[in-house]
Amino acid sequence: MKTEISWNDFEKIDIRVGTIVDAQPFEKAKNPAYKLWIDFGSEIGTRKTSAQITVLYGTDDLIGKQIVAVVNFPPKQIADFMSECLVLGAVGSDKEVTLLTPGKAVENGLAIG
């Protein structure tokens, strides 16, 4: 288990639901990954990210999938691509990632809290 955080620390994290609108192989990444474009609704818009989720997902599986992501990290350069959010997933023992998704379809941009 990681270090305990305060409720105030948790409240600083902006976690939202978004829909993947495009997914492409990320050839220049060090580890196998995809480039994702995610629609977080009118308030936030579309953000892009790199995700190491190639073990369990193909690009065709991802288009239209709702996911959960942190949207208030600063942008991070990954090879020639600027990542603007962090997709959340459960990481298995072999480092395979299962994406976190809402149980039912919801409006893009809804906050997790």
Side-chain angles (χ1 to χ4, degrees), residues 8-85:
N8 286 338
D9 291 335
F10 176 74
E11 286 183 317
K12 294 175 186 176
I13 304 169
D14 193 356
I15 306 171
R16 304 286 182 121
V17 174
T19 299
I20 298 171
V21 295
D22 195 9
Q24 300 173 11
F26 191 0
E27 303 295 341
K28 293 186 179 180
K30 286 183 181 179
N31 298 310
Y34 296 131
K35 294 178 184 179
L36 304 177
W37 286 261
I38 305 165
D39 177 6
F40 289 103
S42 59
E43 180 185 347
I44 296 170
T46 300
R47 297 269 175 102
K48 57 189 179 178
T49 192
S50 169
Q52 295 177 10
I53 56 174
T54 60
V55 173
L56 299 179
Y57 302 95
T59 54
D60 291 342
D61 302 325
L62 296 169
I63 308 280
K65 186 173 198 63
Q66 282 199 307
I67 53 82
V68 176
V70 176
V71 297
N72 65 332
F73 281 133
K76 180 178 181 178
Q77 186 80 37
I78 302 172
D80 64 347
F81 190 72
M82 189 63 71
S83 182
E84 302 169 326
C85 62

